[in-house]
Amino acid sequence: MCCKLFLDDESGAVTVDWVVLTAGVVVLAVIVMPPIQTAIVDMAAYIGETVTEYRKFLQ
């Protein structure tokens, strides 16, 4: 009988859900970050080159 009560108890289920959800978000961020980082670095370099090219017009 005590095993059935233990198995039916759902008091820690919300904590487990949050741990699984947080782990999923972290894994997704680790997978998605490298391509985004490359695109951001490339865009920053392009902006820097454009600003340098048009520097005389910006003064």
Side-chain angles (χ1 to χ4, degrees):
M1 180 164 168
C2 75
C3 292
K4 181 169 175 27
L5 291 174
F6 176 75
L7 294 175
D8 289 340
D9 186 17
E10 295 183 9
S11 61
V14 174
T15 303
V16 173
D17 290 344
W18 276 105
V19 169
V20 171
L21 181 64
T22 304
V25 168
V26 169
V27 168
L28 184 63
V30 168
I31 290 172
V32 171
M33 192 56 191
I36 292 174
Q37 182 179 4
T38 303
I40 290 172
V41 169
D42 292 344
M43 183 59 69
Y46 172 74
I47 291 170
E49 291 168 2
T50 304
V51 168
T52 302
E53 183 179 335
Y54 291 102
R55 182 186 311 187
K56 61 184 173 186
F57 300 113
L58 297 174
Q59 292 178 351

